[in-house]
Amino acid sequence: MTVKKTKLIFITGGVLSSLGKGLAAASIGALLEARRLKVINQKLDPYINIDPGTMSPFQHGEVFVTDDGAETDLDLGHYERFVSTRMKRENNLTTGQVYFSVITKERRGDYLGKTIQVIPHITDAIKDFIHKTANGADVCIVEIGGTVGDIESLPFLEAIRQIRMEIGRTNSIFIHLTWVPFIKTAGEVKTKPTQHSVKALREIGIQPDILLCRSEVSLTEEIKTKIALFCNVDYDCVFTAKDVQSIYEVPLGFHKEEIDQRIVEKLGMWTGDVDLKPWHDVCNRLQNPVGEVTIAIAGKYVNLTDSYKSLNEALIHGGIANNYRVKLAFVDTELITKDNIEEKYAGVDGIIVPGGFGERGIEGMITTAAYAREKKIPYFGICLGMQMAVVDFARNVCGLEDANSSEFNQKTANPVVDLLPEQKTVSEKGASMRLGSYPCVIEKNSLAYAAYNDTQIAERHRHRYEFNNDFRELLSSKGLRITGVSPDGRLVEIIENPAHPWFLGCQFHPEFKSRPTAPHRLFSKFIAAAIKNKAP
Ligand code: GLN
């Protein structure tokens, strides 16, 4: 039996963060998949947290949830939007996880007699992890978080240096993403930061094979020659990663530069023809929309839009499905009152209240749900957004004035959103969370059924509180329709308001499963409703 050897592509970043390493890794994955290769992406994160689940979205951006319930880095969202392989817990490794596993073994006595050190124990654990996750794929793309020169990422870089030694240059390549700034006053691009960044990499024993140079202009032959010479990289392996209008243009841009061609040559791989039709379709639709709709995202993390990364993208996908450009308007619900609400939502064709934790801004969300309900503006409530729509309905339609979620008011006589009885005894923060994919049964003749065209679905969750069944009868009798429940009927998953053209709340996060080449149908339908609402 021959064991298939997975080729490894390591992606590092230089000069500064936010150059789009995750996007580059995802786009390379899309191109290799378009050559019919089986691709896996993984992300190595240098921070000590076991996972980003406990970090503030203000600091770290969105927490991306996988089917198996892992709370992961938002780059895994990019991977899933560009590559068809579904991510799991194992696709995101943090320094915290590495140390935790090594220390656990040490306590168990697995290393008895030895001194535990970064090299070889930590680096060996990293190498094992990379190989285990890569197993089964033709190509595994490993993104190393952070910027070269950081202390934190050193063990990861040492581990990938060793892997290259062990498996050789036809089985692994190093791609370095760097920055070539255009200096307006000088009217030219500068290569020095790139030279320094590559120098720093070489000091720790890594010679990049390919350079992706982020730049606002295309690099001239002369500049590429200079970079190639100073960085010791072949001339035809220095590429411009030019700024683009939409992130979904990146795979086509990379392909035009022949980045994928050079990668498969370096890895000595023979692949099928490249089928990029789905990406051409996506870009055509984005570049030639028939109109524009404005969607308000009404939440509290409005100043850091990365906090709603998957949601923003899913809305754009909904636009792609309808051939419309989606303009996002971020509305801070902390600033909303009954008096200014009309002004806040002027010119808005549809409203989304997204997920969130904590009390900040929730009254504004409830007021928003009421406003959308009364004014018949398409409303899509996701997780917290569904819960707040339930609170509005209980307060303003059913007359339960103090109705609330017990997350925000533990003393309310009407906790229409509450913990399940068995959750109330759990004391550890993470333990009571419903995380990952859960099945849901959908009722026919509903907005949900019109979207899914199926009665059995599964979606990803990340929340503690649930619709309180004690209020099911009352709310239903006043016109709130429950159109999705867990298979045992116990958990409410989807609510709708049939007296409204498009009003839907779901306890799960559909945005995690939307892709530009396969927009999630709840988003396509919501955008379609917003387009209809816009019509004169
Ligand atoms: N805070 C709410 C809960 O825990 C909603 C969570 C969310 O929107 N993801 O149930």
Side-chain angles (χ1 to χ4, degrees):
M1 194 183 77
T2 52
V3 179
K4 186 164 76 179
K5 245 206 180 143
T6 304
K7 308 267 185 179
L8 293 170
I9 299 175
F10 298 109
I11 303 194
T12 54
V15 187
L16 38 80
S17 61
S18 300
L19 289 180
K21 221 182 323 142
L23 195 54
S27 299
I28 289 170
L31 289 176
L32 296 178
E33 194 169 272
R35 289 171 176 264
R36 300 183 179 79
L37 295 172
K38 180 164 166 40
V39 177
I40 286 180
N41 283 76
Q42 50 177 301
K43 171 94 194 268
L44 312 183
D45 272 312
Y47 48 76
I48 315 284
N49 304 57
I50 296 283
D51 64 45
T54 53
M55 284 190 230
S56 159
F58 284 117
Q59 278 212 358
H60 194 74
E62 165 185 277
V63 172
F64 185 79
V65 181
T66 54
D67 278 332
D68 64 354
E71 298 177 280
T72 69
D73 186 82
L74 83 175
D75 275 328
L76 272 78
H78 282 312
Y79 305 161
E80 282 208 356
R81 285 186 281 277
F82 283 75
V83 177
S84 64
T85 312
R86 297 303 85 189
M87 298 294 130
K88 298 190 203 113
R89 182 176 304 279
E90 63 188 33
N91 295 67
N92 190 192
L93 181 75
T94 69
T95 294
Q97 287 173 35
V98 179
Y99 275 82
F100 189 72
S101 78
V102 170
I103 291 170
T104 307
K105 278 197 202 160
E106 186 273 337
R107 289 291 87 187
R108 218 167 44 206
D110 291 11
Y111 304 110
L112 231 43
K114 299 214 180 74
T115 308
I116 315 303
Q117 294 177 298
V118 172
I119 305 171
H121 301 97
I122 294 296
T123 46
D124 279 354
I126 296 169
K127 289 195 292 182
D128 284 351
F129 169 87
I130 293 174
H131 288 306
K132 215 171 113 220
T133 307
N135 191 23
D138 296 314
V139 184
C140 178
I141 302 168
V142 186
E143 177 190 347
I144 291 90
T147 307
V148 168
D150 296 347
I151 293 173
E152 285 92 340
S153 52
L154 277 176
F156 289 132
L157 295 172
E158 170 59 15
I160 65 173
R161 184 194 71 78
Q162 291 181 12
I163 291 182
R164 164 67 160 251
M165 289 292 291
E166 288 156 8
I167 68 174
R169 56 177 59 242
T170 53
N171 290 316
S172 59
I173 53 170
F174 292 121
I175 298 181
H176 188 56
L177 179 70
T178 169
W179 186 44
V180 180
F182 178 73
I183 306 297
K184 287 208 175 67
T185 46
E188 59 181 14
V189 296
K190 291 290 177 189
T191 64
K192 194 72 86 187
T194 296
Q195 294 178 40
H196 277 291
S197 169
V198 172
K199 188 168 162 239
L201 256 184
R202 285 164 60 188
E203 271 168 14
I204 49 178
I206 294 176
Q207 165 64 53
D209 301 293
I210 290 176
L211 290 179
L212 301 181
C213 307
R214 253 321 270 284
S215 178
E216 54 182 288
V217 295
S218 286
L219 302 184
T220 61
E221 227 168 275
E222 192 194 341
I223 294 292
K224 282 192 187 177
T225 309
K226 186 176 172 188
I227 293 175
L229 185 66
F230 286 131
C231 298
N232 205 25
V233 172
D234 294 339
Y235 169 79
D236 65 355
C237 288
V238 179
F239 297 100
T240 310
K242 205 167 158 226
D243 295 357
V244 282
Q245 286 270 320
S246 153
I247 56 169
Y248 300 123
E249 291 169 26
V250 176
L252 295 179
F254 277 14
H255 181 65
K256 213 163 138 214
E257 292 259 321
E258 300 187 359
I259 294 172
D260 50 325
Q261 184 59 36
R262 215 48 31 79
I263 289 174
V264 294
E265 278 168 22
K266 289 245 168 230
L267 290 172
M269 298 183 95
W270 185 91
T271 74
D273 286 346
V274 192
D275 175 14
L276 289 170
K277 187 173 177 306
W279 291 102
H280 279 294
D281 286 349
V282 165
C283 291
N284 279 338
R285 282 167 175 259
L286 281 170
Q287 285 155 6
N288 308 297
V290 296
E292 180 177 279
V293 273
T294 304
I295 303 297
I297 299 189
K300 67 169 176 174
Y301 307 116
V302 289
N303 295 321
L304 185 70
T305 52
D306 257 7
S307 316
Y308 301 125
K309 190 72 199 150
S310 296
L311 181 65
N312 302 347
E313 296 308 320
L315 285 165
I316 291 167
H317 305 162
I320 292 173
N322 288 285
N323 241 327
Y324 261 68
R325 175 177 296 139
V326 176
K327 207 173 128 203
L328 302 178
F330 293 91
V331 176
D332 186 345
T333 53
E334 257 195 303
L335 306 177
I336 284 187
T337 61
K338 285 197 176 98
D339 297 329
N340 68 12
I341 193 156
E342 192 136 2
E343 182 193 320
K344 292 275 181 202
Y345 292 116
V348 161
D349 307 308
I351 300 176
I352 287 234
V353 175
F357 293 82
E359 199 176 356
R360 203 134 64 79
I362 62 133
E363 284 303 324
M365 294 177 198
I366 299 166
T367 312
T368 297
Y371 182 74
R373 178 174 52 74
E374 283 162 6
K375 301 280 177 193
K376 309 251 185 276
I377 301 169
Y379 178 92
F380 193 179
I382 294 179
C383 207
L384 183 63
M386 164 188 148
Q387 297 173 354
M388 295 304 98
V390 169
V391 171
D392 158 54
F393 198 85
R395 283 187 192 174
N396 301 315
V397 178
C398 305
L400 307 175
E401 269 171 39
D402 74 336
N404 212 331
S405 162
S406 56
E407 180 179 3
F408 312 121
N409 179 357
Q410 295 197 349
K411 295 199 186 86
T412 172
N414 295 296
V416 289
V417 175
D418 199 5
L419 292 174
L420 294 172
E422 62 267 31
Q423 280 173 303
K424 293 185 179 163
T425 50
V426 181
S427 60
E428 257 188 59
K429 266 256 177 223
S432 55
M433 190 98 98
R434 180 144 75 109
L435 277 169
S437 185
Y438 282 84
C440 166
V441 181
I442 288 185
E443 262 194 34
K444 289 201 166 166
N445 297 317
S446 61
L447 296 176
Y449 186 77
Y452 286 102
N453 203 15
D454 203 343
T455 53
Q456 314 278 334
I457 61 143
E459 291 282 5
R460 298 180 192 170
H461 292 248
R462 181 174 184 251
H463 58 100
R464 281 190 192 92
Y465 292 80
E466 306 278 354
F467 183 108
N468 185 343
N469 287 326
D470 295 347
F471 295 87
R472 242 198 226 197
E473 224 178 281
L474 173 67
L475 270 62
S476 303
S477 74
K478 297 280 184 190
L480 191 82
R481 191 167 162 218
I482 293 166
T483 58
V485 290
S486 55
D488 65 1
R490 194 167 164 235
L491 302 169
V492 172
E493 299 280 24
I494 306 174
I495 56 136
E496 294 179 23
N497 186 337
H500 185 287
W502 210 94
F503 193 107
L504 184 144
C506 51
Q507 193 53 79
F508 47 78
H509 289 273
E511 69 272 26
F512 291 140
K513 295 219 297 202
S514 188
R515 308 184 62 206
T517 49
H520 194 294
R521 301 252 305 162
L522 277 178
F523 286 91
S524 317
K525 291 285 183 188
F526 169 64
I527 296 295
I531 294 169
K532 217 164 147 199
N533 177 43
K534 184 191 171 78

